[in-house]
Amino acid sequence: MPAYTDSREAHLRRLRRIEGQVRGLQRMVSEDVYCIDVLTQVSAATRALQSFALELLSEHMSGCVVEAARTGRQEGEAKVQEAAEAIARLVRS
Amino acid sequence: MPAYTDSREAHLRRLRRIEGQVRGLQRMVSEDVYCIDVLTQVSAATRALQSFALELLSEHMSGCVVEAARTGRQEGEAKVQEAAEAIARLVRS
Amino acid sequence: MPAYTDSREAHLRRLRRIEGQVRGLQRMVSEDVYCIDVLTQVSAATRALQSFALELLSEHMSGCVVEAARTGRQEGEAKVQEAAEAIARLVRS
Amino acid sequence: MPAYTDSREAHLRRLRRIEGQVRGLQRMVSEDVYCIDVLTQVSAATRALQSFALELLSEHMSGCVVEAARTGRQEGEAKVQEAAEAIARLVRS
């Protein structure tokens, strides 16, 4: 079972809040709110998504990666390789 | 009227697609989808938000900033200063 | 003449400090300093480069972009377009 | 001994290339090269630093983190926690 099962409710709350921020952006655009204020809200939503990603990644590494490493060095390195690619996508996005 | 009024519909379509991505993330978390796959989807949503921000910023500069500069050098520099702060928030988020 | 001529000395001081940080990284790697400490220093150098870029961009917009907009709307929009592409490269790097 | 000892020469070559890029930036500023071209070079140097960081991090996780996890679950989780903080600094810089 994925590492994040225990904290699933916290993740869902976080994502619902981000969904609310994106709906707030739609309202701002509909109401012709000043661009700079819309951009400030986009930055907030982007940071919230990144924090969610960092939390999920941290749980994944504490769970799946450590578990795999305890099963065998090769298993651990395979999981690390996979996590490293996800980290690269986050850093570059 | 804000510079983005003309392209408002395109912005709203974009934001609705991002809202769909965030709801997709909730579904993935609810269904215990593998963390790495969730993270890939978070990176996609983050990039989509950044593209929206860059588009909005570009329109803002072509519209408000150029207009202000044509009114007066000081007006132009004030709008540039404001835009530069928004850009810094984007680069750092 | 480019907008940044006046502040050239400040920019050069900043870049020399960043060069020092990168040489510091070489020293750390040569001396087998712990990875995590090397990574902390890489983050510091990356942030310093970004701050330099944001400063340069802000000057460019106050100078060249405002000047071009005052010459003509079309000239202003051409400079804005060029700046928007540079901003996109910064946000995505 | 740190995980990156074997690849130390490759890391040093990479960092010397980045140092060359930063010196190139100083030359560009000294010669009043057009801002946008300086910014393009800053983006290249930033991306090079990030790639170095991602490579170092990947090695650290394959080495130290897997090793620690094989010693004990708690040791593994401590190293993961430390790596997660370094990743957060990279994502946010």
Side-chain angles (χ1 to χ4, degrees):
Chain A
M1 209 174 278
Y4 60 81
T5 304
D6 288 348
S7 46
R8 197 202 285 164
E9 273 315 309
H11 290 325
L12 287 174
R13 266 195 306 278
R14 232 169 160 158
L15 287 169
R16 280 191 289 262
R17 208 154 45 224
I18 296 170
E19 187 193 333
Q21 287 176 301
V22 177
R23 269 209 299 269
L25 283 166
Q26 293 170 48
R27 205 161 36 241
M28 291 172 101
V29 168
S30 297
E31 297 170 358
D32 281 336
V33 167
Y34 185 50
C35 291
I36 296 294
D37 297 326
V38 181
L39 288 171
T40 301
Q41 179 72 0
V42 177
S43 294
T46 305
R47 267 197 307 277
L49 270 174
Q50 281 178 342
S51 295
F52 168 69
L54 290 168
E55 181 64 31
L56 199 63
L57 180 72
S58 169
E59 280 179 36
H60 173 69
M61 296 200 302
S62 297
C64 296
V65 175
V66 168
E67 213 47 58
R70 293 192 62 72
T71 304
R73 195 176 311 273
Q74 229 176 338
E75 286 84 346
E77 285 178 13
K79 285 290 175 197
V80 157
Q81 186 53 37
E82 189 188 55
E85 285 162 19
I87 294 163
R89 281 191 295 272
L90 286 178
V91 169
R92 289 175 178 139
S93 74
Chain B
M1 209 173 277
Y4 61 80
T5 305
D6 288 347
S7 46
R8 197 201 286 162
E9 274 315 308
H11 290 326
L12 287 175
R13 267 195 304 279
R14 233 170 159 154
L15 287 170
R16 280 192 288 262
R17 209 155 43 224
I18 296 170
E19 188 193 335
Q21 286 177 301
V22 177
R23 269 208 300 268
L25 283 167
Q26 292 170 49
R27 205 162 34 241
M28 290 173 101
V29 168
S30 296
E31 295 170 0
D32 281 336
V33 167
Y34 186 51
C35 290
I36 296 294
D37 298 325
V38 181
L39 287 171
T40 301
Q41 178 72 0
V42 177
S43 293
T46 305
R47 266 195 308 277
L49 271 174
Q50 280 179 341
S51 295
F52 167 69
L54 290 168
E55 180 64 30
L56 199 63
L57 180 72
S58 169
E59 280 178 37
H60 174 69
M61 296 201 301
S62 298
C64 295
V65 175
V66 167
E67 213 47 58
R70 293 191 62 71
T71 304
R73 195 176 310 275
Q74 229 175 339
E75 286 83 346
E77 285 178 13
K79 284 291 174 196
V80 158
Q81 187 51 39
E82 190 189 55
E85 285 162 20
I87 294 164
R89 282 191 294 271
L90 286 178
V91 168
R92 289 177 177 137
S93 74
Chain C
M1 209 174 276
Y4 60 80
T5 305
D6 287 348
S7 47
R8 197 201 286 163
E9 274 315 308
H11 290 325
L12 287 174
R13 267 195 305 278
R14 232 170 159 155
L15 287 169
R16 280 192 287 262
R17 209 155 42 225
I18 296 171
E19 188 192 334
Q21 286 177 302
V22 177
R23 270 208 300 268
L25 283 167
Q26 292 170 49
R27 204 163 34 242
M28 290 172 101
V29 168
S30 296
E31 295 170 1
D32 281 335
V33 167
Y34 185 50
C35 290
I36 296 293
D37 297 325
V38 180
L39 287 171
T40 300
Q41 179 72 1
V42 177
S43 294
T46 304
R47 266 196 308 278
L49 270 174
Q50 280 179 342
S51 295
F52 167 69
L54 290 168
E55 181 64 30
L56 198 63
L57 180 72
S58 170
E59 280 178 36
H60 174 69
M61 296 201 300
S62 298
C64 296
V65 175
V66 167
E67 213 47 59
R70 294 192 61 71
T71 304
R73 196 176 310 272
Q74 229 176 339
E75 286 83 346
E77 286 177 14
K79 285 289 175 198
V80 158
Q81 187 51 38
E82 190 188 55
E85 285 162 19
I87 294 164
R89 283 192 293 272
L90 285 178
V91 169
R92 289 176 176 139
S93 73
Chain D
M1 209 173 278
Y4 60 80
T5 305
D6 288 346
S7 47
R8 196 201 286 164
E9 274 315 308
H11 289 327
L12 286 175
R13 267 195 305 277
R14 232 170 160 157
L15 288 170
R16 279 191 290 260
R17 209 154 43 225
I18 296 170
E19 188 193 335
Q21 287 178 301
V22 177
R23 269 208 300 267
L25 283 167
Q26 292 170 50
R27 207 164 32 240
M28 290 173 102
V29 168
S30 296
E31 295 170 358
D32 281 336
V33 167
Y34 186 51
C35 290
I36 297 293
D37 297 327
V38 180
L39 287 171
T40 301
Q41 179 72 0
V42 177
S43 293
T46 305
R47 267 196 307 278
L49 270 174
Q50 280 179 342
S51 295
F52 167 70
L54 290 168
E55 180 64 31
L56 198 64
L57 180 71
S58 169
E59 281 178 35
H60 173 68
M61 296 201 301
S62 298
C64 296
V65 175
V66 168
E67 213 47 57
R70 293 191 62 72
T71 303
R73 195 176 311 271
Q74 229 175 340
E75 286 83 346
E77 285 178 13
K79 285 290 174 196
V80 158
Q81 186 52 37
E82 191 188 54
E85 285 162 19
I87 294 164
R89 281 191 294 271
L90 285 178
V91 168
R92 289 175 177 140
S93 74

